[in-house]
Amino acid sequence: DAGITQSPRHKVTETGTPVTLRCHQTENHRYMYWYRQDPGHGLRLIHYSYGVKDTDKGEVSDGYSVSRSKTEDFLLTLESATSSQTSVYFCAISSGGWGTGELFFGEGSRLTVL
Amino acid sequence: AQSVTQLDSQVPVFEEAPVELRCNYSSSVSVYLFWYVQYPNQGLQLLLKYLSGSTLVKGINGFEAEFNKSQTSFHLRKPSVHISDTAEYFCAVSLQGAQKLVFGQGTRLTINP
């Protein structure tokens, strides 16, 4: 299995509070991604990173920010959580060649915003 | 922009029966195509991928898919399913050389004994 660890795995929080999800990899892969999974929508890309301090937005980036200060860590932050951000969040990594490479996924982080 | 449509949200089949999960994509340029599987409470793992070459692609666990450029489809098939194949299946597409993998809505495969 690819060395990807997401934390926390489960979190319940209240509307308006900040939340940070962490993705840690031991594969030294260049590319890292954050997706959210919702019923009927499949997986949608929030943000991705193609190197340290290099990030870009995906299709559902509003309300989210990311940071990557080290190759192995990719943080997803909800500055002020809303109920619409209740979801399962997946981190994924790729060694490169985005369009030709396989994505390896973490186990997911289930976030509930009350 | 490219998009992916999985035509069935749920597919129930009996054990040892054949199954086909349908996937259509839209793109005006060449693409790479993928099928991922998600078992309950787990992340996604790659079943198979089409990059180029033979249009019939074989993957893990006896699954295969056929790329049909004229019909812009990439349907997933298995000749005989097992209870252990119960999972959600996602079709995905990326533009060649692009930085974006787009997923379909998913198809939940349920195997009945």
Side-chain angles (χ1 to χ4, degrees):
Chain A
D1 292 341
I4 308 171
T5 305
Q6 291 186 230
S7 59
R9 294 289 313 282
H10 301 273
K11 186 173 181 66
V12 179
T13 191
E14 294 186 349
T15 298
T17 59
V19 176
T20 295
L21 305 180
R22 179 179 183 242
C23 178
H24 178 78
Q25 61 145 329
T26 59
E27 306 296 321
N28 200 36
H29 281 357
R30 177 181 177 188
Y31 295 88
M32 299 185 75
Y33 313 88
W34 278 107
Y35 284 88
R36 60 177 290 174
Q37 182 180 19
D38 304 288
H41 293 277
L43 277 81
R44 292 179 290 175
L45 183 63
I46 305 171
H47 282 279
Y48 65 98
S49 169
Y50 45 96
V52 173
K53 299 190 186 304
D54 292 324
T55 64
D56 205 349
K57 296 179 179 179
E59 61 181 307
V60 290
S61 59
D62 287 348
Y64 301 95
S65 62
V66 290
S67 66
R68 191 169 179 198
S69 59
K70 298 183 291 184
T71 298
E72 59 266 34
D73 290 325
F74 193 32
L75 304 181
L76 177 70
T77 297
L78 291 66
E79 300 289 349
S80 178
T82 67
S83 58
S84 65
Q85 294 175 311
T86 292
S87 186
V88 181
Y89 292 86
F90 285 98
C91 175
I93 64 175
S94 172
S95 59
W98 164 275
T100 61
E102 174 182 354
L103 288 188
F104 296 94
F105 283 84
E107 295 288 306
S109 295
R110 183 176 295 275
L111 175 66
T112 302
V113 183
L114 302 176
Chain B
Q2 72 274 31
S3 66
V4 179
T5 301
Q6 293 184 238
L7 298 163
D8 306 292
S9 59
Q10 297 186 62
V11 173
V13 296
F14 287 106
E15 193 172 15
E16 298 183 6
V19 69
E20 178 180 82
L21 306 184
R22 298 179 294 167
C23 173
N24 286 93
Y25 69 94
S26 65
S27 174
S28 58
V29 297
S30 296
V31 297
Y32 297 129
L33 293 156
F34 306 80
W35 275 99
Y36 283 83
V37 60
Q38 183 182 31
Y39 299 106
N41 299 312
Q42 294 186 25
L44 281 73
Q45 62 185 85
L46 185 71
L47 265 183
L48 48 80
K49 60 186 175 185
Y50 171 79
L51 304 181
S52 65
S54 173
T55 58
L56 183 63
V57 180
K58 294 188 184 298
I60 62 172
N61 300 337
F63 284 92
E64 63 181 31
E66 186 160 18
F67 171 57
N68 188 318
K69 188 174 182 178
S70 63
Q71 297 187 6
T72 61
S73 68
F74 191 54
H75 300 334
L76 181 69
R77 302 185 181 99
K78 186 171 182 178
S80 176
V81 297
H82 302 285
I83 292 287
S84 58
D85 293 322
T86 296
E88 190 153 19
Y89 293 79
F90 293 93
C91 182
V93 62
S94 69
L95 299 180
Q96 291 184 13
Q99 302 286 332
K100 200 171 184 179
L101 191 63
V102 177
F103 285 84
Q105 302 91 329
T107 298
R108 187 170 299 276
L109 178 62
T110 304
I111 313 299
N112 298 307

